[in-house]
């Protein structure tokens, strides 16, 4: 069995998109259960300004109070040097730095140009790369909802640019669910060819239903690291009513059936996913926590004895 | 571009699973719009006993009143000789005969053993195969919710058995969403190897989120015929809250992006899917009719001009 590494992003990418504030003790309890469920990595929270993202204003408390499992890498989103200081003080083990590969999306979301983001992240990298692991997540790699397609040459150039300053872990994000299998295969083939020694994580959204098909396409190109969000939490402001991130339980279930070992305990995370509607006060879009795994069998009705 | 043929099953597999009765004139209008949307085939209704499936008790009226497009094959489910007589009188162009490959499921659902189903369907085939096209759909091919796995050798044996009495069109159905990509690839490879000249249609459910991933796997093995249900209508009594059939709009959208030509007009069927919640009185599980196609772009916010 091929080992596949899952990074759970529900408590960051998921909770930050929810209308209700998840109480701090509920977050801690949620992450503690994740820690005992076999994940390789957990993106716990975000060290953005509490004013910008009030949903995660309790980042320090959460990082401090959770029980850490030595087998899990605890990561957090770090937007800038101020966030990096806070994250470092909170013993975050990996900084997840984010910028968009779409100039328009970067200006709209991060309120600066891509070169400005690069300079800002470079300061964090220069200051912290000897002290902590660093991953760079690129948004809108598979398409921007304002610009459309992002050129493959652009993706390669931005990986190259960060590689030059010492980064060797990247997450390629399909921020608004625009990726499709053929594109995924073509892009990852290019990335693996040009950066064979670099750790690449795929981050898919299920906005148009293709997240699991895209995962199979990525696996075909040798990608073995995936972000996923319990219950499919996450979502995208451009797609009201549609699904969010790829659901961890649906992903882990499919991977196991296809012979991949994620280490994640499916029944444990399904039980946790079933708690989510209470926490977020609405239904979730994932399937396996509702339908049960493929292996769940039902008794035959009694009347068939006479047939 | 490879041509792929879509059979729309919402008005049969979908409507028969709904709690509300869809008014006959609404059904006719719905099917008339489907007829102008580029489908290869439409499964209009079912000629089962009106007592058994009251949702489709208007089969004759619907078949009689719809406007037929000469480019579309109009098919209907036919359970037995009585149903075949009714369907033939209604100028159904293709009979879709159904049995389960799981002995338990066949006894539970059709209230007879598989051999009994075979004998019943054989009577229909012997009587009508010179007059009308015949397709046999096998349920639970990728797993039975009571028995579990169905042996590949069993699938091949049942295709063989019907081939001997003249059938050369088969639909392999994942009735309760148990199929997974590796299994799909392995099974269709065997089926194509043993029956290279037979028309094979894949019928997937999205119960566990894998329908589009399974479609990609089937395409890899040369399958070019797919059943799909607008809005993902259909569902499965063993998976309350989970998705139903693969959604036609999500399927057509993915196929087009990957270079397959279905002939189906995506914007037309998305507009029709958006009417479904009014007809069935609940939300639908499909994505693209909510999120829009990948090609839908949004204007950038004005404030980015100053960035």
């Amino acid at each position: 069995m091929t080992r596949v590494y899952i990074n759970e992003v529900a408590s960051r990418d998921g909770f930050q998109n929810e209308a209700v504030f998840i109480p701090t003790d509920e977050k801690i309890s949620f992450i503690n259960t994740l820690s005992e469920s076999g994940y390789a990595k957990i993106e716990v929270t975000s060290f953005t300004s509490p004013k910008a993202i009030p949903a995660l204003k309790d980042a320090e408390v959460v990082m401090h109070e959770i029980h850490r499992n030595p087998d899990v890498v605890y990561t957090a989103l770090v937007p800038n040097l101020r966030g990096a200081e806070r994250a470092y003080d909170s013993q975050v083990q990996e900084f997840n730095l984010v910028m968009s590969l779409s100039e328009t999306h970067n200006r709209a979301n991060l309120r600066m140009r891509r070169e400005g983001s690069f300079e800002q992240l470079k300061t964090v990298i220069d200051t912290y790369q000897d002290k902590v692991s660093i991953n760079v997540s690129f948004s809108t790699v598979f398409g921007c909802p304002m610009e459309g397609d992002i050129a493959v040459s652009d993706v390669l150039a931005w990986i190259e640019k960060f590689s030059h300053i010492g980064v060797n872990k990247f997450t390629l994000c399909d921020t608004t669910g625009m990726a499709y299998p053929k594109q995924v295969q073509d892009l990852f083939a290019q990335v693996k060819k040009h950066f064979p020694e670099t750790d690449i994580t795929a981050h898919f959204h299920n906005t148009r239903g293709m997240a699991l098909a895209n995962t199979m396409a990525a696996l075909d190109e040798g990608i073995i690291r995936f972000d996923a969000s319990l219950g499919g939490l996450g979502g995208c402001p451009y797609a009201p009513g549609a699904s969010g991130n790829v659901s961890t339980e649906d992903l882990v279930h499919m991977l196991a059936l296809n012979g991949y070992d994620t280490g994640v305990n499916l029944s444990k995370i399904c039980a946790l996913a079933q708690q989510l509607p209470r926490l977020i006060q609405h239904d979730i879009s994932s399937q396996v926590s509702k339908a049960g795994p493929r292996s769940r069998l039902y008794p035959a009705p009694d009347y068939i004895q006479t047939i």
Side-chain angles (χ1 to χ4, degrees), chain A residues 236-254:
Chain A
C236 152
Y238 295 101
S243 304
N245 284 61
V246 65
S247 132
T248 314
E249 60 272 36
D250 294 0
L251 177 69
V252 164
H253 176 257
M254 181 187 74

Short mmCIF file of all heavy atoms in Angstrom, two decimals, chain A residues 236-254:
data_model
loop_
_atom_site.label_atom_id
_atom_site.label_comp_id
_atom_site.label_asym_id
_atom_site.label_seq_id
_atom_site.Cartn_x
_atom_site.Cartn_y
_atom_site.Cartn_z
N CYS A 236 -16.85 28.50 -0.71
CA CYS A 236 -16.33 29.52 -1.60
C CYS A 236 -17.41 30.55 -1.82
O CYS A 236 -18.54 30.21 -2.17
CB CYS A 236 -15.93 28.80 -2.90
SG CYS A 236 -16.01 29.80 -4.36
N PRO A 237 -17.09 31.82 -1.62
CA PRO A 237 -18.12 32.86 -1.74
C PRO A 237 -18.69 32.98 -3.16
O PRO A 237 -19.74 33.57 -3.35
CB PRO A 237 -17.37 34.13 -1.34
CG PRO A 237 -15.92 33.83 -1.46
CD PRO A 237 -15.78 32.36 -1.25
N TYR A 238 -17.99 32.43 -4.15
CA TYR A 238 -18.48 32.52 -5.52
C TYR A 238 -19.45 31.40 -5.88
O TYR A 238 -19.92 31.34 -7.00
CB TYR A 238 -17.31 32.50 -6.52
CG TYR A 238 -16.43 33.72 -6.38
CD1 TYR A 238 -15.22 33.66 -5.70
CD2 TYR A 238 -16.83 34.94 -6.92
CE1 TYR A 238 -14.42 34.78 -5.56
CE2 TYR A 238 -16.05 36.06 -6.78
CZ TYR A 238 -14.85 35.98 -6.11
OH TYR A 238 -14.08 37.09 -5.98
N ALA A 239 -19.72 30.49 -4.93
CA ALA A 239 -20.57 29.36 -5.27
C ALA A 239 -21.57 29.08 -4.16
O ALA A 239 -21.50 28.06 -3.49
CB ALA A 239 -19.70 28.13 -5.54
N PRO A 240 -22.52 29.98 -3.96
CA PRO A 240 -23.49 29.78 -2.89
C PRO A 240 -24.27 28.47 -3.08
O PRO A 240 -24.72 28.19 -4.19
CB PRO A 240 -24.42 31.00 -3.01
CG PRO A 240 -24.16 31.58 -4.36
CD PRO A 240 -22.78 31.20 -4.74
N GLY A 241 -24.34 27.68 -2.01
CA GLY A 241 -25.10 26.43 -2.10
C GLY A 241 -24.27 25.23 -2.52
O GLY A 241 -24.68 24.09 -2.32
N ALA A 242 -23.12 25.48 -3.11
CA ALA A 242 -22.29 24.36 -3.57
C ALA A 242 -21.38 23.89 -2.44
O ALA A 242 -21.24 24.54 -1.40
CB ALA A 242 -21.46 24.78 -4.78
N SER A 243 -20.72 22.73 -2.66
CA SER A 243 -19.85 22.12 -1.64
C SER A 243 -18.60 22.95 -1.41
O SER A 243 -18.22 23.77 -2.23
CB SER A 243 -19.41 20.74 -2.11
OG SER A 243 -20.52 19.95 -2.40
N GLY A 244 -17.91 22.66 -0.29
CA GLY A 244 -16.67 23.34 0.05
C GLY A 244 -15.44 22.51 -0.29
O GLY A 244 -15.35 21.95 -1.39
N ASN A 245 -14.50 22.46 0.64
CA ASN A 245 -13.30 21.65 0.47
C ASN A 245 -13.69 20.20 0.24
O ASN A 245 -14.77 19.77 0.64
CB ASN A 245 -12.45 21.69 1.76
CG ASN A 245 -11.70 22.98 1.92
OD1 ASN A 245 -12.31 24.05 2.01
ND2 ASN A 245 -10.38 22.92 1.95
N VAL A 246 -12.77 19.44 -0.31
CA VAL A 246 -13.00 18.00 -0.39
C VAL A 246 -13.19 17.50 1.04
O VAL A 246 -12.48 17.91 1.96
CB VAL A 246 -11.84 17.27 -1.10
CG1 VAL A 246 -10.53 17.35 -0.33
CG2 VAL A 246 -12.19 15.81 -1.35
N SER A 247 -14.15 16.62 1.23
CA SER A 247 -14.45 16.12 2.57
C SER A 247 -13.43 15.05 2.96
O SER A 247 -13.15 14.12 2.18
CB SER A 247 -15.86 15.55 2.57
OG SER A 247 -15.90 14.28 3.16
N THR A 248 -12.89 15.17 4.16
CA THR A 248 -11.87 14.21 4.60
C THR A 248 -12.42 12.79 4.64
O THR A 248 -11.74 11.84 4.22
CB THR A 248 -11.33 14.57 5.99
OG1 THR A 248 -11.06 15.96 6.03
CG2 THR A 248 -10.07 13.79 6.31
N GLU A 249 -13.63 12.64 5.15
CA GLU A 249 -14.15 11.27 5.29
C GLU A 249 -14.39 10.62 3.93
O GLU A 249 -14.11 9.44 3.74
CB GLU A 249 -15.39 11.22 6.19
CG GLU A 249 -16.60 12.04 5.75
CD GLU A 249 -16.59 13.48 6.27
OE1 GLU A 249 -15.51 14.09 6.34
OE2 GLU A 249 -17.69 14.01 6.55
N ASP A 250 -14.88 11.42 2.95
CA ASP A 250 -15.08 10.86 1.60
C ASP A 250 -13.74 10.52 0.96
O ASP A 250 -13.59 9.49 0.28
CB ASP A 250 -15.84 11.86 0.71
CG ASP A 250 -17.28 12.09 1.19
OD1 ASP A 250 -17.68 11.49 2.21
OD2 ASP A 250 -17.99 12.90 0.57
N LEU A 251 -12.74 11.38 1.19
CA LEU A 251 -11.40 11.16 0.63
C LEU A 251 -10.73 9.93 1.23
O LEU A 251 -10.23 9.05 0.49
CB LEU A 251 -10.54 12.40 0.88
CG LEU A 251 -9.09 12.33 0.42
CD1 LEU A 251 -9.00 12.32 -1.10
CD2 LEU A 251 -8.27 13.50 0.98
N VAL A 252 -10.73 9.85 2.55
CA VAL A 252 -10.07 8.72 3.23
C VAL A 252 -10.73 7.39 2.86
O VAL A 252 -10.06 6.38 2.63
CB VAL A 252 -10.11 8.96 4.77
CG1 VAL A 252 -9.82 7.69 5.55
CG2 VAL A 252 -9.13 10.07 5.15
N HIS A 253 -12.06 7.41 2.77
CA HIS A 253 -12.83 6.22 2.39
C HIS A 253 -12.42 5.76 0.98
O HIS A 253 -12.10 4.58 0.77
CB HIS A 253 -14.32 6.59 2.44
CG HIS A 253 -15.26 5.52 1.98
ND1 HIS A 253 -15.86 5.53 0.75
CD2 HIS A 253 -15.69 4.39 2.59
CE1 HIS A 253 -16.64 4.46 0.64
NE2 HIS A 253 -16.55 3.76 1.74
N MET A 254 -12.38 6.69 0.02
CA MET A 254 -12.00 6.33 -1.35
C MET A 254 -10.56 5.84 -1.42
O MET A 254 -10.26 4.85 -2.09
CB MET A 254 -12.20 7.50 -2.30
CG MET A 254 -11.85 7.15 -3.75
SD MET A 254 -11.89 8.56 -4.88
CE MET A 254 -10.38 9.41 -4.41
#
